[in-house]
Amino acid sequence: MEAFVRQEEENGLITFRLASWQQRDPKLSAGFSSRLGGVSRGRWDSLNCALHVEDDPEHVLVNRHRLAAAAGFDFAAWTCAEQVHGKRVAVVGTADRGRGRSSRDTAIPEADALITDEPGIMLVTFYADCVPIYYYDPVVRAAGLAHAGWRGTAQRIAGETVQAMRASYGSKPENLYAAIGPSIGPCCYEVDERVIGAMEAAGLTAGWTAQDSGRYMLNLQELNRQILIQEGILPDNIEISTRCTSCHAADFFSHRRDGPTGRMASWIGWKR
Ligand SMILES: [Zn+2]
C-alpha cells in the first residue's frame, strides 16, 4: 500500500501525507507537498517552496505560509537549512525554531538532514527528484528528515541521520520507523558509471540495472533502504513511496525532466 496518501487540504493544497505515522501519533504531522495550490508562475507553477531557485521570494513566502497552515503549524515553526548534497545532520532545538523561513540568510548552514525532539517545530527540506527520508522514534519521541540525491546516498546520509538520533536522543534503531518519500524512480533515473562507482565505494551492492547504452537505471529508494537496514532499522519498519516525481508532471516538479524548476517540501514535526 502506498505510504504517502494524496490529500486535498482545507486551503486547497494537494499534499501527500504519511498517513500511518499520523494515525499512530495524532500530534505528528508529516508529508510531502505537490506543485499544486500555490501562487508561483512559469517554471515554478505553482507551489514552489524554495528560495534558492530564482522564483519571486514574495510568491515563495505565500506558498510556505499555505503549506505551514495545511500542515497544522504557525509559519514561525517553519525551520530549514541550506542544502548542499552533503552528509551533515543538524540537531534542531527551540533556539533554531523558524530559521530560514523568510530568508536564506538565517537558514541553518550546510545541512542535508534535520532532527528534533521539540514540539512546535516544522522541519522542512526541499526536493525536485532527490529522495526525502523521514524518521520517527515513538519511544523517545524524536523525528528527522534527510535529503538524499545520489551524492547524499553515496555519503550514507540516511545512516548518518540514524547515528545522530542515537547520539542526541538515545534512539534505538530497532525502535525507529523510516519512510522514503516521492522521488525519481528507477523508471526514470539514468546515470553513468561514475555514480555506480560511488555507490560501490559506499558499501552498496545492488540497486541498479545496466542498460544496452552502457548507462544504468539507478534505484535510489532501494539503495537508501539498504543503508537504513545496515544501520539497524527493521525492514518491516521501512515504508517506500512508489510515486515517481519524473513520471507525474501534473503533481511534481522534476529537475531531471524539466531542468531549472521549483521545489517540493518534505516536512515533519509535532503540532502543539
Ligand atoms: Zn518515473
Side-chain angles (χ1 to χ4, degrees), residues 183-189 217 242-248:
S183 42
I184 193 165
C187 38
C188 295
Y189 193 41
M217 302 310 290
T242 58
R243 299 184 188 278
C244 170
T245 46
S246 179
C247 282
H248 299 288

Side-chain angles (χ1 to χ4, degrees), residues 12-116:
L13 266 58
I14 301 296
T15 64
F16 297 88
R17 294 286 194 138
L18 197 33
S20 61
W21 293 11
Q22 294 185 152
Q23 279 161 13
R24 170 187 288 266
D25 189 339
K27 286 280 185 184
L28 186 71
S29 176
F32 192 73
S33 67
S34 74
R35 65 186 297 171
L36 302 168
V39 297
S40 296
R41 301 197 185 98
R43 70 171 73 134
W44 305 281
D45 180 3
S46 64
L47 193 72
N48 168 43
C49 287
L51 285 167
H52 68 281
V53 292
E54 298 177 0
D55 190 7
D56 181 338
E58 289 186 13
H59 290 169
V60 176
L61 290 185
V62 170
N63 293 341
R64 287 182 172 188
H65 272 94
R66 288 187 184 179
L67 183 59
F73 292 93
D74 294 335
F75 182 57
W78 181 294
T79 307
C80 58
E82 286 284 299
Q83 298 170 197
V84 293
H85 293 283
K87 64 173 185 178
R88 193 175 87 81
V89 183
V91 181
V92 178
T94 303
D96 302 303
R97 183 172 189 259
R99 289 183 71 176
R101 71 187 185 282
S102 302
S103 159
R104 295 176 67 189
D105 298 341
T106 64
I108 295 165
E110 295 190 11
D112 286 87
L114 303 172
I115 60 174
T116 195

